[in-house]
Each structure stands twice: as C-alpha cells, then as structure tokens.
Amino acid sequence: MTTSHIPSFNHMSSSSSPTPPLIPKPEPVTDSTDLQTPIPTSSSPPNLYTEFNNVAETFRSAFAQRLKRHDDVTVLNSLTGAIVTVPEEQDPVPVSVPSPSLVTRKPKPQERSSELVRITDVGPEGERQFREVVRKTRMIYDSLRIFLILEELREDFAMGSGSSSRRRGRADSKAASMMKERFLWLNRDKRIVGSIPGVQVGDIFFFRLELCVMGLHGQTQAGIDYLIGSRSSNGEPIATSVIVSGGYEDDDDRGDVIIYTGHGGQDKLGRQAEHQKLEGGNLAMERSMYYGIEVRVVRGFKYENSVSSKVYVYDGLFRIVDSWFDVGKSGFGVFKFRLERIGGQVEMGTSVLKFAKTLKTNPLSVRPSGYISFDISNRKEKAPVYLFNDIDDDREPLYYEYLASASFPRGILFQRSGDDGAGGCDCINGCGSGCLCEMKNGGQFAYDYSGNLIRMRPVIHECGPACKCPPSCRNRVTQKGLRSSLEVFRSVETGWGVRSLDILHAGAFICEYVGVALTREQASILTMNGDTLVYPARFSSARWKAWGDLSEVFPDDYERRPPPSYPQIPPVDFAMDVSKLRNVACYISHSTDSNVIVQFVLHDHNNIMFPRVMLFAAENIPPMTELSLDYGVSDDEWSPKLAICN
C-alpha cells in the first residue's frame, strides 16, 4: 500500500468492525490499605482525615447507586459511540481494524466527535503504514517550527537592532496552531482509547504541543485528557491519557506503579490552595476505573538538550485499579488514583533513559560484564565509543585501526577550500544573511542554530579553513566531530550494531562514515578478486525527500513556502575501503526502513566528486535504539559481519 492510501486517523472507517462493549469492573475497594506499598497519609488531625474519607465515600456511593438503578449496565460502544446495554457477564469484544482504507472527508471547523475508538490488530504492514503517517506529521511539525524561528530571525535582521526584543509567541505553539487550522493534527475527530497506531512505547517528544499534534494527549495544559460528558454518548466523561511530570506534590511515581494526584485546586504558582472536586478529569479517571478502560501514560521531565529543556516519553498503557480521597501534603483534599502498568509491553522509555544515563557515568554498576572496551577510538573521537558483547567471544572491532576521518587520495584534494579564487567567507562575528558560504548553499544555511539539519541537499558547503568565522559558527557542524556517546554492540539479529547513549533529535549529526576513499581506477584493481567495498553513491535516502517540505502548510503561499530540496546524488565517483581502517559508522546495520540518513558535505576541499559522507538522525531516536542505514542493497546482499556491500 502506498503512502497516499494511508488514512488519516481522523478518517478511520469503522463500519466493518465488531461492536466492542466496555464492561464495568466491580466497584473497587476504597481502603488505601490494600495497596501493595503503603502510602503515607498526611499528618493532619484524625477528625479532618476522617471527614475527607467520608466525603469520598459519599461521592463513590452516589455513583454506584446511580448505575445500579439499571438492570443492565450502560456502557460506551467504543466504535460507534452509541449507548448499548450488555449483560454484566458478557466479555469485552476487542476491536480489530481491517486493512486501512482512505476516506477523503475532512472534518468541519471546530468539529469534534464523541466517538471512542480502540484500534487493535492492525498487523505488521498496517503498523508500518501508520508509523509512516506519524513520521511525516512529526517531520512537518519540526520543519514548520524551525521555519518560523528562522523567519522571525530574518525579520529581526531586516528591521535592524532592537527588533528582536519584540514579544512573540513560541514557535512550537505557532507551529501546532497552524497545523490545527489546516487539519494536520492526527486523531482530530476520534478519541482513541489505548494505543495510538504508529506511536511506539519509548517515543520521545520535545514539546508538549507535539503530543497534541500526534493525538497522544489532547490537553495543552491539563495533565488528564478525557472525553467530556456532554460529548459522550452516555453522558459520562472517559479518561484517555495522563501526563506525569511532577506538577503535583502528592504524586508518587514508582515506575510500573503510579499514585497519580487528580487535578484542580492549585493557584497560579502551582500550589494546592483548595480541595479538589470529583469533576472534569478526576471524574473521568473514576469512570475509566469503573469501566476498566486503560489510559496512556506520558512522562515529562527536565532534560537539557539543544532543542528544549524538557522531554516527554510515552511509557505505554496503564490501568486505574483504585481511587480514594486523601489529605494532601498541603492540608487540602486531593483525589488519588493508583495506576498499574499493563503487562506484555516493551520496557518503558523512561527506564531506558535512566539506564543509558547510568551507562555514561558508571557503566559497571549496571553492566558488570560484557564490556570489551570503553573507547575503541582511543580518544580519537571527542565522545567515547563503547564496545559491548554479552553474547559470544567475538572481538572483531578491536582488530581494525580506528580512523576518525575519511582518508582521501592526496592528488584529488588540490581544490582546497579557498583555492578556487573565491576565498572563504569574511564573517568575523559569525555567519548570517549575505554570507558567501550561505550563497553556496542556495541562499540558505542547511542547519538551524542548534546544529540540526533543516533539510537535505545534494551537497552542503560548510565554512572551511579559508573562512574567517569562529569555530562556533552555525555552518560548522560535521567537522566538529562526534557529539554523542555511541556503542558498538553484538546483536543476534544483525551481528554487530550501533546505538547511541544519548537522545538523538531529528536532524542531529551522528558521525562521518569513514574509510579509505579510492578512485575508480584504484577500486577496479581491488575488486578483481571480488567486490568488498562500500559505495557512497548507492546509499539511499529517498524516503526523506520531503524533509522540510511545507506544501501542506502553505498550499497557496509559494513565497513563504520553501520548496523541498530533493536530494540529487552529485557525481560521486569513489568507493570506500573499510577492510583495515574504519570507524564506528561501519557497524551500523542495513535497513530499508532506516532511522539514519546520508548527507554529502564539503568543508576542507571543493572537489564535489569526493564529498564527505555524513550521517544524520532521520527522526527522534531514543537512547539504546539500534541505528540503521539504507546501503542501497537488498537484504540478501548485506553482510552484517563486515558491514560492507558485496
């Protein structure tokens, strides 16, 4: 199925799927002493604590009595949103989604559906297609966010000094708002219960509004996302997701078990100032607990990086197993909910983040065995390259000499940067608009101010030795070398593989693909006994042609919309020999569904036939995720042992 036939989540057809009733669970026990780990109560006077318990019991009893008035249980039809009656002993029917079909209707402005949908059994191909939709949407969001930042900077430069002090909205907020106006948000007219197709456990987001764009969490401020009762078919609110970010002092996050504090009652400074009420998100959580409906959990925490000061991680599905009214640390009444992670899911992304952080500071504390080397580059790289194998005794990467930068034949590098008569740029204070190197790149720099690739190009001209700009120049990215700690590891599936111990933001520079560059004549001699060379011209990044394409955001505004820079392979006419000298990149596995892209770069010479082969992250890559590259060969041709093309 081609991408054009992948449906938007907004337009999911549901007519052929069975009707799945949501069966209420037995009324949970309200006594908090049933918790596996006791929760310390407030030190408030006993009579006040008793009063809170009595109020909580009154609330819960009222709901129980209201539901028991019916002979059958009223539930939500999670596919059509209609009210149906189902005998209590009937088991829930899972919702399976057939092969996705395209529905072209767009929602009307302000249209929001009351439908609750649970999507399951999409199959491997369906999941792959949904993943592509998510990737494309995230790419548009990030490209638009960067475009708005650069547009503001250009306006400031054009208006002269002092203009940058004007009050402006944040680019991440503007980007989300513009995509919403153009109906580019996912899951806009359906509220999905459970997993979002195409969003995987461990996925990382750098902005709160990005969660809204993806349909993972629909509230821009509140920590509980829910379908309000007035839009629900049976008049009851249902919670779909929560964000755990430490915003409430009474939260207790233990990983697989969370004691989550309800919302409400806080002042402008985030302090609890009054009692919480059983309404809004709190009521939705109670109702989801009663019906046994799972909620998605996203954790947010501070994480200093070049993009933002916070990171949000999707940690999978949790079930609400208990709720009670308690005295908070502030002395005011709060609702608490015990969430337990549903089994059978992959490891939580936050657990992996903590594990990777520990590996960088004290690796032997969590991995007492398996390390072969803590830096196979022998300090030739600015960041260490670990070597780990806990599968067998193979130590092959130690048998090669580590080369930090590609070696080119001396005769072809006569065109050094500045030797073509044009010289380098004269930007003493840093490169900006009008820079000579900017002109070489078509009038726009290829990187944003965080050093991330804005869009792919046939070749990027970085500032070089002849340029007068400082080393901190935004147009000197790849020549600064490795910035993230990488690990070469032994894998059952791919032989040797590579993963990062840091978060890699989409567009982040990873490393250079290094070996000994050979001319066509040199390569022909070495291949007489069999071809064991890497050919950079074969590397494929065709899946990322749309990087930076904003045509869906600016369909009629061609002046504001930068045209997509489709990567045309320059006349690259060399091979790379990695049989004796190589670097960490040579162990990256092959995949046609890769998360790493190739970008040709020139900075120390101007011979376009021999560019440097630079690798960038094609998406937000969480730590400990295996990196993959499309070498432009079939799976049968790939040799994981030598990481070379046959």
Side-chain angles (χ1 to χ4, degrees), residues 446-448 451-457 460 462 477-479 483 504-513 541 544 547 588 594-601 612-619 621 627-629:
Y447 310 116
D448 65 13
N452 296 317
L453 185 68
I454 299 175
R455 57 165 53 180
M456 291 190 63
R457 298 172 182 270
I460 292 175
E462 290 190 359
V477 173
T478 62
Q479 57 195 276
R483 293 188 295 180
L504 297 176
H505 185 271
F509 173 63
I510 301 176
C511 64
E512 181 180 0
Y513 197 99
S541 295
W544 306 104
W547 190 293
I588 296 179
S594 60
N595 54 15
V596 174
I597 54 178
V598 174
Q599 172 65 64
F600 294 124
V601 176
R612 294 190 177 274
V613 183
M614 301 298 183
L615 307 183
F616 291 81
E619 59 189 18
I621 304 177
L627 306 181
S628 58
L629 176 65

Side-chain angles (χ1 to χ4, degrees), residues 393-645:
D393 296 327
D394 196 336
R395 297 181 169 223
E396 181 186 358
L398 294 181
Y399 304 152
Y400 300 90
E401 182 178 345
Y402 195 95
L403 194 63
S405 182
S407 174
F408 290 97
R410 195 173 286 181
I412 60 95
L413 296 184
F414 62 91
Q415 292 182 328
R416 299 194 60 81
S417 183
D419 291 346
D420 56 358
C425 69
D426 196 24
C427 308
I428 299 177
N429 297 322
C431 296
S433 181
C435 170
L436 176 62
C437 296
E438 183 188 44
M439 296 300 103
K440 290 182 181 180
N441 287 297
Q444 292 181 341
F445 285 116
Y447 310 116
D448 65 13
Y449 284 91
S450 297
N452 296 317
L453 185 68
I454 299 175
R455 57 165 53 180
M456 291 190 63
R457 298 172 182 270
V459 63
I460 292 175
H461 296 266
E462 290 190 359
C463 294
C467 297
K468 296 182 180 180
C469 57
S472 59
C473 171
R474 62 178 289 199
N475 197 36
R476 297 178 184 267
V477 173
T478 62
Q479 57 195 276
K480 295 178 181 178
L482 195 65
R483 293 188 295 180
S484 301
S485 298
L486 301 179
E487 178 179 271
V488 180
F489 69 101
R490 189 67 169 162
S491 169
V492 175
E493 294 80 13
T494 59
W496 290 102
V498 179
R499 54 197 174 199
S500 172
L501 303 187
D502 300 297
I503 296 177
L504 297 176
H505 185 271
F509 173 63
I510 301 176
C511 64
E512 181 180 0
Y513 197 99
V514 172
V516 177
L518 304 175
T519 63
R520 177 184 297 181
E521 293 75 17
Q522 292 172 327
S524 63
I525 296 175
L526 289 181
T527 57
M528 293 179 63
N529 296 325
D531 191 353
T532 58
L533 304 176
V534 175
Y535 296 92
R538 293 183 183 177
F539 288 3
S540 175
S541 295
R543 294 174 63 243
W544 306 104
K545 287 182 179 180
W547 190 293
D549 181 10
L550 297 177
S551 58
E552 293 190 54
V553 181
F554 304 115
D556 302 316
D557 191 349
Y558 293 96
E559 293 185 0
R560 293 189 70 199
R561 183 182 86 200
S565 181
Y566 298 120
Q568 302 295 328
I569 302 299
V572 176
D573 193 24
F574 70 95
M576 195 83 75
D577 181 9
V578 295
S579 61
K580 295 181 180 179
L581 304 174
R582 58 172 64 174
N583 78 333
V584 59
C586 300
Y587 297 97
I588 296 179
S589 301
H590 163 72
S591 174
T592 54
D593 188 27
S594 60
N595 54 15
V596 174
I597 54 178
V598 174
Q599 172 65 64
F600 294 124
V601 176
L602 292 173
H603 64 77
D604 57 342
H605 68 275
N606 291 329
N607 192 330
I608 197 171
M609 296 180 64
F610 290 85
R612 294 190 177 274
V613 183
M614 301 298 183
L615 307 183
F616 291 81
E619 59 189 18
N620 293 342
I621 304 177
M624 308 306 290
T625 300
E626 183 169 4
L627 306 181
S628 58
L629 176 65
D630 189 346
Y631 285 82
V633 298
S634 66
D635 293 336
D636 294 337
E637 294 178 294
W638 176 247
S639 171
K641 180 180 179 181
L642 295 178
I644 57 177
C645 301

